[in-house]
Amino acid sequence: MRRALWLLLVCLVVVGAAWGLMRLGGGVEVRVGEFFIAVSLPVLLLALAALFLVLLLLIALVRGIIHYPARLRARREARNRARAEAALTGALVSLAAGDADGARNQALRARRLVGDKPQLLVLIAEAERMAGREESASDAYHILSRQPEARFLGLRGLLRQAIQREDWEAAQALAREAEAVQPGTTWLRQERALLARRTKNWGEALALAGAGPARAPLALAAAGQEAEEARKAELEREAFKADPAFAPGVVAHAARMRGAKAEKRARTVLEQGWLAAPQPDIAEAYLEGEADPLARVKLGEALVARNRAHPESRLLLARLALEAGLTGRARSELEALAQSGEIDKRGYLLLVELERTEQGDTPQGRLAEAKWLRAAAEAPAAPQWFCGHCNRPHAAWAPLCEGCGTVGEIRWGRRGQANLPAPLATAAP
Ligand SMILES: [Zn+2]
């Protein structure tokens, strides 16, 4: 509207000026040598206006000729884009319907029309994978990984392929590259944690693990791989702090304290471990270096003081008392243990030993021994280290089971009958 008003105003001004000039009259004379031209002012103005229009038309024509190929190209591209979009839709439909070859052909057609667009390459790779042509899929992912804006997509595809063919080294390298491109992705973090466990890279697995007791075994495993002593000590401390109920961490941290001549601190660590979860290795570490049987009983009492009624505490005190010849003391511990209903084979075998010590090779002694031996045969087995995945017993804790290759499943306790499948993240291949 405003433009129209402006135009009207300009027209009015021009017409007004022309009318004014006509009223004024007059002419223009041009003399060049012998030539002489004289025109009246209105005719000159008309001629100039006509010249201006011709010039405008000429310019428009030249521009049209120059831009003609570009316009032609744009039209062709628009047509190709429309065809490619139709092919892309067709490919998606084929993929959803499980027709890998159809999807691949449609996607390749779209690619011929519009080139290496990221979404097409992803689609082609997916279709190739669905058809079992991993190499061709890999080619598509490689092209993607070279495109700055789609690099992550390419790396992600290559990483998935590497994991599938269990090439852990390549997978780790790809995961690191992908992390650099797109830091902090949850999916990538999970994949990297899985890879670190698979490649037994405990330090990395620890770095990628969340907070909580699950860090303890990883920290101790990482300490086992660490060459530098200070870092080793730090990791052992972390294992203890993350879970004081994880006996191997407790024992390792206490041993480190003892090595640093911090005997009192070492004992406190072991006492804390015993309070959290009594385990024979902790007692063994606590009594280490003490040979006098009576002193060992005193040490044992100090260790179990804060967890006195636990079956492991009673069992430990009974054994130490028996070794020191304090049979009355041993008997009272073992009877309390039997009454608690938590006595196992070890408790009954100590009772057998106790009867032999107290009564010697007498008919009553043999009778009592036989009674406890029968009870031992029926009692639950002693707890031990075993793999929670394949149930295989282990002499000591280890980060992974040599039997089935499962990570983080070796635990202390009584072996169960159930052979439960491990979580996918830690399951063996
Ligand atoms: Zn196992």
mmCIF file of all heavy atoms in Angstrom, residues 1 13 19 59 99 112 122 156 193 198 224 236 255 261 323 331:
data_model
loop_
_atom_site.group_PDB
_atom_site.id
_atom_site.type_symbol
_atom_site.label_atom_id
_atom_site.label_comp_id
_atom_site.label_asym_id
_atom_site.label_seq_id
_atom_site.Cartn_x
_atom_site.Cartn_y
_atom_site.Cartn_z
ATOM 1 N N MET A 1 0.837 -1.193 0.000
ATOM 2 C CA MET A 1 0.000 0.000 0.000
ATOM 3 C C MET A 1 0.878 1.252 0.000
ATOM 4 O O MET A 1 0.658 2.176 -0.782
ATOM 5 C CB MET A 1 -0.897 -0.057 1.245
ATOM 6 C CG MET A 1 -1.893 1.093 1.316
ATOM 7 S SD MET A 1 -3.124 0.978 -0.009
ATOM 8 C CE MET A 1 -3.930 2.548 0.144
ATOM 9 N N VAL A 13 4.789 13.813 -9.347
ATOM 10 C CA VAL A 13 5.909 14.756 -9.417
ATOM 11 C C VAL A 13 6.464 14.821 -10.840
ATOM 12 O O VAL A 13 6.694 15.897 -11.395
ATOM 13 C CB VAL A 13 7.017 14.354 -8.397
ATOM 14 C CG1 VAL A 13 8.295 15.165 -8.649
ATOM 15 C CG2 VAL A 13 6.523 14.574 -6.976
ATOM 16 N N TRP A 19 4.811 18.712 -17.248
ATOM 17 C CA TRP A 19 3.821 19.726 -17.630
ATOM 18 C C TRP A 19 4.426 21.114 -17.463
ATOM 19 O O TRP A 19 4.309 21.976 -18.332
ATOM 20 C CB TRP A 19 2.571 19.527 -16.749
ATOM 21 C CG TRP A 19 1.431 20.431 -17.114
ATOM 22 C CD1 TRP A 19 0.666 20.381 -18.240
ATOM 23 C CD2 TRP A 19 0.974 21.535 -16.351
ATOM 24 N NE1 TRP A 19 -0.249 21.351 -18.264
ATOM 25 C CE2 TRP A 19 -0.106 22.101 -17.091
ATOM 26 C CE3 TRP A 19 1.334 22.119 -15.141
ATOM 27 C CZ2 TRP A 19 -0.807 23.210 -16.630
ATOM 28 C CZ3 TRP A 19 0.614 23.214 -14.709
ATOM 29 C CH2 TRP A 19 -0.429 23.741 -15.421
ATOM 30 N N ILE A 59 19.805 -4.783 -20.061
ATOM 31 C CA ILE A 59 20.434 -5.319 -18.830
ATOM 32 C C ILE A 59 19.706 -6.583 -18.381
ATOM 33 O O ILE A 59 20.321 -7.607 -18.043
ATOM 34 C CB ILE A 59 20.430 -4.250 -17.706
ATOM 35 C CG1 ILE A 59 21.424 -3.136 -18.060
ATOM 36 C CG2 ILE A 59 20.798 -4.866 -16.353
ATOM 37 C CD1 ILE A 59 21.338 -1.921 -17.179
ATOM 38 N N ASP A 99 12.623 -55.637 4.474
ATOM 39 C CA ASP A 99 13.108 -55.916 3.119
ATOM 40 C C ASP A 99 14.448 -55.176 2.926
ATOM 41 O O ASP A 99 14.487 -54.054 2.430
ATOM 42 C CB ASP A 99 12.050 -55.444 2.108
ATOM 43 C CG ASP A 99 12.526 -55.585 0.659
ATOM 44 O OD1 ASP A 99 13.580 -56.230 0.440
ATOM 45 O OD2 ASP A 99 11.849 -55.039 -0.234
ATOM 46 N N ARG A 112 22.336 -41.681 -5.563
ATOM 47 C CA ARG A 112 22.754 -41.275 -6.913
ATOM 48 C C ARG A 112 22.172 -39.909 -7.255
ATOM 49 O O ARG A 112 22.774 -39.107 -7.944
ATOM 50 C CB ARG A 112 22.277 -42.313 -7.934
ATOM 51 C CG ARG A 112 23.255 -43.469 -8.119
ATOM 52 C CD ARG A 112 22.937 -44.255 -9.376
ATOM 53 N NE ARG A 112 21.603 -44.816 -9.352
ATOM 54 C CZ ARG A 112 21.284 -45.962 -8.767
ATOM 55 N NH1 ARG A 112 22.214 -46.672 -8.150
ATOM 56 N NH2 ARG A 112 20.050 -46.412 -8.782
ATOM 57 N N VAL A 122 23.369 -43.494 6.531
ATOM 58 C CA VAL A 122 22.928 -44.265 7.699
ATOM 59 C C VAL A 122 21.963 -45.358 7.249
ATOM 60 O O VAL A 122 22.073 -46.520 7.639
ATOM 61 C CB VAL A 122 22.254 -43.345 8.751
ATOM 62 C CG1 VAL A 122 21.596 -44.173 9.840
ATOM 63 C CG2 VAL A 122 23.265 -42.400 9.371
ATOM 64 N N ARG A 156 29.801 -44.223 15.594
ATOM 65 C CA ARG A 156 28.872 -45.057 16.355
ATOM 66 C C ARG A 156 28.613 -46.375 15.615
ATOM 67 O O ARG A 156 28.627 -47.448 16.210
ATOM 68 C CB ARG A 156 27.555 -44.296 16.542
ATOM 69 C CG ARG A 156 26.562 -44.989 17.424
ATOM 70 C CD ARG A 156 25.292 -44.135 17.485
ATOM 71 N NE ARG A 156 24.390 -44.595 18.512
ATOM 72 C CZ ARG A 156 23.493 -45.555 18.340
ATOM 73 N NH1 ARG A 156 23.386 -46.160 17.174
ATOM 74 N NH2 ARG A 156 22.707 -45.921 19.328
ATOM 75 N N ALA A 193 32.214 -48.357 29.375
ATOM 76 C CA ALA A 193 32.346 -49.121 30.633
ATOM 77 C C ALA A 193 32.381 -50.615 30.317
ATOM 78 O O ALA A 193 33.202 -51.366 30.865
ATOM 79 C CB ALA A 193 31.188 -48.793 31.566
ATOM 80 N N ARG A 198 35.525 -55.626 29.469
ATOM 81 C CA ARG A 198 35.875 -56.712 28.550
ATOM 82 C C ARG A 198 37.380 -56.787 28.310
ATOM 83 O O ARG A 198 37.945 -57.862 28.140
ATOM 84 C CB ARG A 198 35.165 -56.523 27.208
ATOM 85 C CG ARG A 198 33.693 -56.824 27.236
ATOM 86 C CD ARG A 198 33.492 -58.322 27.223
ATOM 87 N NE ARG A 198 32.109 -58.679 27.454
ATOM 88 C CZ ARG A 198 31.221 -58.903 26.499
ATOM 89 N NH1 ARG A 198 31.588 -58.800 25.254
ATOM 90 N NH2 ARG A 198 30.003 -59.228 26.786
ATOM 91 N N GLY A 224 45.741 -53.523 41.299
ATOM 92 C CA GLY A 224 46.549 -54.668 40.878
ATOM 93 C C GLY A 224 47.273 -54.421 39.565
ATOM 94 O O GLY A 224 48.312 -55.016 39.296
ATOM 95 N N GLU A 236 43.728 -48.690 46.609
ATOM 96 C CA GLU A 236 43.356 -49.637 47.674
ATOM 97 C C GLU A 236 42.525 -48.927 48.741
ATOM 98 O O GLU A 236 41.567 -49.481 49.269
ATOM 99 C CB GLU A 236 44.618 -50.237 48.297
ATOM 100 C CG GLU A 236 45.271 -51.275 47.392
ATOM 101 C CD GLU A 236 46.704 -51.594 47.783
ATOM 102 O OE1 GLU A 236 47.223 -50.968 48.726
ATOM 103 O OE2 GLU A 236 47.295 -52.465 47.140
ATOM 104 N N ALA A 255 47.140 -53.868 54.783
ATOM 105 C CA ALA A 255 48.526 -54.307 54.529
ATOM 106 C C ALA A 255 49.381 -53.102 54.123
ATOM 107 O O ALA A 255 50.544 -52.982 54.516
ATOM 108 C CB ALA A 255 48.535 -55.359 53.428
ATOM 109 N N LYS A 261 54.244 -48.659 58.287
ATOM 110 C CA LYS A 261 54.490 -48.621 59.751
ATOM 111 C C LYS A 261 53.351 -47.958 60.526
ATOM 112 O O LYS A 261 53.560 -47.421 61.616
ATOM 113 C CB LYS A 261 55.810 -47.889 60.074
ATOM 114 C CG LYS A 261 57.030 -48.500 59.396
ATOM 115 C CD LYS A 261 57.529 -49.719 60.155
ATOM 116 C CE LYS A 261 58.692 -50.401 59.449
ATOM 117 N NZ LYS A 261 58.380 -51.704 58.904
ATOM 118 N N GLU A 323 43.386 -73.311 70.349
ATOM 119 C CA GLU A 323 44.828 -73.318 70.055
ATOM 120 C C GLU A 323 45.634 -72.940 71.302
ATOM 121 O O GLU A 323 46.769 -73.379 71.488
ATOM 122 C CB GLU A 323 45.145 -72.323 68.931
ATOM 123 C CG GLU A 323 44.817 -72.879 67.546
ATOM 124 C CD GLU A 323 44.833 -71.802 66.449
ATOM 125 O OE1 GLU A 323 45.239 -70.661 66.735
ATOM 126 O OE2 GLU A 323 44.401 -72.123 65.327
ATOM 127 N N ARG A 331 34.585 -74.110 74.301
ATOM 128 C CA ARG A 331 33.293 -74.805 74.359
ATOM 129 C C ARG A 331 32.142 -73.801 74.484
ATOM 130 O O ARG A 331 31.121 -73.946 73.806
ATOM 131 C CB ARG A 331 33.264 -75.804 75.530
ATOM 132 C CG ARG A 331 31.996 -76.674 75.530
ATOM 133 C CD ARG A 331 32.000 -77.697 76.624
ATOM 134 N NE ARG A 331 32.960 -78.770 76.402
ATOM 135 C CZ ARG A 331 32.750 -79.806 75.575
ATOM 136 N NH1 ARG A 331 31.628 -79.907 74.911
ATOM 137 N NH2 ARG A 331 33.666 -80.728 75.428
#
